[in-house]
Amino acid sequence: MRKYQVVFFGTSEFAVPTLKSLLESQEIEVNAIVSQPDRPTGRHQELTSTPIKAFAEKTGIPVLQPESLKKNPDFEELLQNLEPDLFVVVSYGQIIPKRLLEIPKFGALNVHGSLLPRYRGASPIQQSLLSGDTQTGITIIKINEKMDEGPILFIKRIPIEETDTFETLYAKLAALGGEFIAPVALDYIDETLGPIPQDHSRATYCEKIEKEDGRINWKVQTAEEIHNRIRAFTPWPGCFTMWNGKRLKVLKAKVQSDAKEKVGMIKIHTRESGEKELWIGTKHGALVAEKLQIEGKGEMDAKTFINGYGGKIQETPELSN
């Protein structure tokens, strides 16, 4: 039996479970993998493979890394020669031009980490946490030439737990993509699953996260809002403030919503049990910092931070944006 020929487009770690699922399918053959070019990373700017390329190198499947998909006739010809039945696109990082989407017999499918049409764009997982949502999920769509606007084939919802962070949701949603892509793709090809247009009037959008987005504004943001930002922006870009001329990251925290502390002031609070905590006043309520990292030092819990910096906290308790 002839297997359906698939070209896979992906770059980040989020795409790995989906690619792995397609490779394990008895009815699908991945005949090429397209990923972003290798980029210099780290302090020494060493050229580093994308997570998808690193995974794909173990499979022996050709990995294509065009710098751009626009006006690239050689790449277009290469895709045409592969005669694909389907493209599958997950966290690739470029919009695929319409002329390329027309190459495969059945078009292209995308796994997106939100409940579309909510959170179209580059940072849906972070946005669900920033918004304090109680559920999220994946949406598998048929791609058109516009970003995340194609008709919906499949949605899978999961709850967002109070303990969830970007890292935990990222892993959960990536795993869902791997679980459902093969059966959804096969049902779509067999026409037992039909695409349903999105309600564009309900669409919301999210932008690419920038490093400066992690800066905390104690006067403007509530304890709940800052808590959600910490969940969304850890490990990158991290939520930070300035204290004693150094950048101080808050890596984990909880909310004391009924507390009335002076805005932007850090205070050592002693509970009835004798346990000491770090409370920071916000626009509304206090943020109780549980894990921190001061510039030039490693991560430490609140107890260790108090033991090391308790005197400085009492001398200069004010934090700045």
Side-chain angles (χ1 to χ4, degrees):
M1 183 185 72
R2 177 186 178 273
K3 293 185 176 183
Y4 294 111
Q5 301 298 297
V6 169
V7 174
F8 183 84
F9 290 70
T11 297
S12 77
E13 192 70 36
F14 187 83
V16 171
T18 300
L19 175 57
K20 185 178 180 182
S21 175
L22 294 172
L23 293 172
E24 292 171 349
S25 172
Q26 299 299 308
E27 298 174 71
I28 290 170
E29 181 176 358
V30 179
N31 55 11
I33 296 167
V34 184
S35 192
Q36 291 287 323
D38 297 347
R39 305 291 187 196
T41 60
R43 180 177 298 178
H44 301 292
Q45 291 294 283
E46 295 179 355
L47 202 62
T48 305
S49 297
T50 68
I52 278 292
K53 181 182 178 182
F55 176 82
E57 286 175 339
K58 306 170 188 175
T59 69
I61 299 171
V63 179
L64 313 174
Q65 295 179 281
E67 188 68 40
S68 174
L69 302 185
K70 297 178 180 179
K71 298 180 181 179
N72 192 335
D74 292 339
F75 179 69
E76 184 173 348
E77 182 181 3
L78 193 155
L79 289 179
Q80 289 172 337
N81 291 338
L82 289 171
E83 299 182 348
D85 293 302
L86 187 70
F87 289 167
V88 174
V89 184
V90 186
S91 189
Y92 172 56
Q94 289 190 46
I95 293 178
I96 301 176
K98 183 179 180 181
R99 69 181 187 280
L100 297 186
L101 294 174
E102 293 173 346
I103 291 175
K105 180 179 179 180
F106 297 102
L109 303 186
N110 170 245
V111 179
H112 185 76
S114 81
L115 304 175
L116 289 172
R118 189 169 173 84
Y119 305 144
R120 294 172 178 172
S123 55
I125 300 175
Q126 293 95 326
Q127 193 59 55
S128 66
L129 291 165
L130 291 172
S131 300
D133 292 349
T134 57
Q135 68 170 352
T136 185
I138 61 162
T139 307
I140 299 178
I141 64 172
K142 182 177 181 182
I143 301 176
N144 60 23
E145 65 273 21
K146 297 182 179 180
M147 183 178 66
D148 301 330
E149 291 192 14
I152 293 172
L153 289 169
F154 176 82
I155 288 180
K156 176 63 178 180
R157 292 175 171 83
I158 61 169
I160 299 178
E161 308 293 343
E162 290 184 5
T163 55
D164 272 324
T165 64
F166 169 76
E167 290 181 304
T168 62
L169 277 187
Y170 186 94
K172 290 177 183 180
L173 297 180
L176 285 180
E179 181 179 353
F180 290 103
I181 186 59
V184 169
L186 292 170
D187 285 348
Y188 162 67
I189 290 172
D190 292 342
E191 297 185 339
T192 58
L193 187 64
I196 300 173
Q198 293 188 41
D199 182 353
H200 302 304
S201 68
R202 295 175 53 242
T204 60
Y205 297 85
C206 49
E207 302 295 332
K208 181 180 178 181
I209 303 298
E210 303 292 345
K211 190 172 183 179
E212 194 63 19
D213 291 333
R215 186 180 293 274
I216 299 171
N217 190 323
W218 305 102
K219 295 180 181 178
V220 173
Q221 297 161 355
T222 67
E224 187 68 37
E225 289 170 339
I226 297 170
H227 179 247
N228 287 340
R229 294 173 76 83
I230 293 167
R231 295 168 71 202
F233 293 158
T234 301
W236 195 92
C239 279
F240 65 91
T241 185
M242 298 302 296
W243 179 61
N244 278 319
K246 291 188 176 183
R247 180 171 294 204
L248 177 64
K249 287 186 177 182
V250 184
L251 305 174
K252 184 180 179 182
K254 59 186 179 182
V255 175
Q256 194 73 33
S257 57
D258 58 350
K260 295 182 179 179
E261 300 291 333
K262 191 173 181 181
V263 174
M265 302 293 282
I266 185 169
K267 172 186 175 183
I268 300 173
H269 180 88
T270 304
R271 290 194 174 274
E272 292 182 1
S273 63
E275 179 186 4
K276 292 183 177 180
E277 296 180 330
L278 285 174
W279 288 29
I280 307 172
T282 73
K283 179 184 176 181
H284 178 77
L287 188 78
V288 183
E290 297 180 302
K291 186 181 291 186
L292 308 97
Q293 183 177 18
I294 195 164
E295 188 176 335
K297 301 291 183 180
E299 298 179 8
M300 59 188 86
D301 59 24
K303 181 180 179 180
T304 303
F305 190 85
I306 291 169
N307 290 339
Y309 298 95
K312 287 188 177 181
I313 291 171
Q314 293 175 349
E315 292 172 9
T316 54
E318 187 172 359
L319 301 171
S320 59
N321 297 338

